[in-house]
Amino acid sequence: MDYLFLHRDKRTFTSERQKNLLFRARAARLYWEQKYADNEVVPKRKVDCELYKYVLYYLEVRQVFLDPKLSLKKLSDMVETNQTYLSNVVNRYFGCHLKELVNTYRVEYAKELLHSGKCLPEELPQRCGFLSRSTFYAAFKKVAGVSPKRYMKQEQRVIQS
């Protein structure tokens, strides 16, 4: 899974470029078609592409992953579809369950905050949409492969070299 389809502008977390690309939906559609056009294992439907674009929009631009109470039901209401369709699109085209996808976005956001120095480590779980510190640490280790503390040490070494 490619995290952050449009890669955030380093100065702002939602740049105008991202909004324009996703609103026009050309970039998302092209990406979706390139990735899945020749894939005969995964059957495609036009509605899947639309749902895919909406999921990207709500995660990339609206940053709904920061909502600690985000659920499949809540996101399906935002996208105006049923939970089954949304779940199938997330599973099929993002290659994981919604919880994993959302946690990946949260962890990547936490890494951005750590890298920028705009957040104290003890504030990270709440700022990134996690309800508890233990859930944050478990998700961070699963996604990044290391604990947040070790990640910060690695980042400092990279900056110093």
Side-chain angles (χ1 to χ4, degrees):
M1 170 181 57
D2 297 319
Y3 166 71
L4 289 179
F5 171 71
L6 296 173
H7 303 290
R8 286 193 181 90
D9 183 302
K10 296 298 179 196
R11 290 168 281 132
T12 62
F13 288 121
T14 56
S15 70
E16 282 302 310
R17 180 181 151 271
Q18 290 173 313
K19 289 178 186 174
N20 290 337
L21 285 172
L22 280 173
F23 279 124
R24 289 186 192 135
R26 295 179 109 187
R29 180 180 299 281
L30 288 173
Y31 179 79
W32 188 83
E33 287 173 356
Q34 287 172 352
K35 192 163 182 175
Y36 301 107
D38 296 329
N39 188 347
E40 298 193 13
V41 176
V42 180
K44 297 164 292 302
R45 299 175 304 174
K46 188 174 181 178
V47 70
D48 287 357
C49 182
E50 295 305 310
L51 291 175
Y52 178 84
K53 289 188 299 187
Y54 276 111
V55 170
L56 283 176
Y57 168 73
Y58 278 101
L59 291 172
E60 297 284 339
V61 176
R62 301 289 302 272
Q63 295 183 333
V64 297
F65 61 88
L66 297 176
D67 178 359
K69 295 185 180 179
L70 182 65
S71 65
L72 184 61
K73 173 154 180 37
K74 200 169 187 178
L75 187 57
S76 66
D77 289 344
M78 289 178 209
V79 175
E80 298 178 359
T81 189
N82 70 42
Q83 294 177 47
T84 303
Y85 281 166
L86 182 62
S87 179
N88 286 337
V89 166
V90 170
N91 293 340
R92 185 175 294 153
Y93 300 106
F94 290 94
C96 60
H97 298 289
L98 182 65
K99 180 181 175 186
E100 294 173 70
L101 181 64
V102 169
N103 281 346
T104 300
Y105 271 83
R106 289 173 176 165
V107 168
E108 293 298 330
Y109 185 72
K111 288 164 62 176
E112 289 175 5
L113 290 175
L114 285 171
H115 186 71
S116 69
K118 293 182 178 181
C119 183
L120 297 172
E122 50 276 358
E123 295 174 355
L124 274 176
Q126 294 78 27
R127 293 267 311 266
C128 297
F130 288 97
L131 287 173
S132 74
R133 185 173 225 142
S134 61
T135 306
F136 168 70
Y137 280 100
F140 197 98
K141 181 143 179 135
K142 183 177 180 182
V143 172
V146 294
S147 69
K149 191 172 186 176
R150 182 162 285 175
Y151 177 81
M152 288 190 308
K153 286 181 182 178
Q154 290 174 348
E155 282 293 303
Q156 288 174 349
R157 281 190 223 130
V158 170
I159 293 170
Q160 291 173 354
S161 58

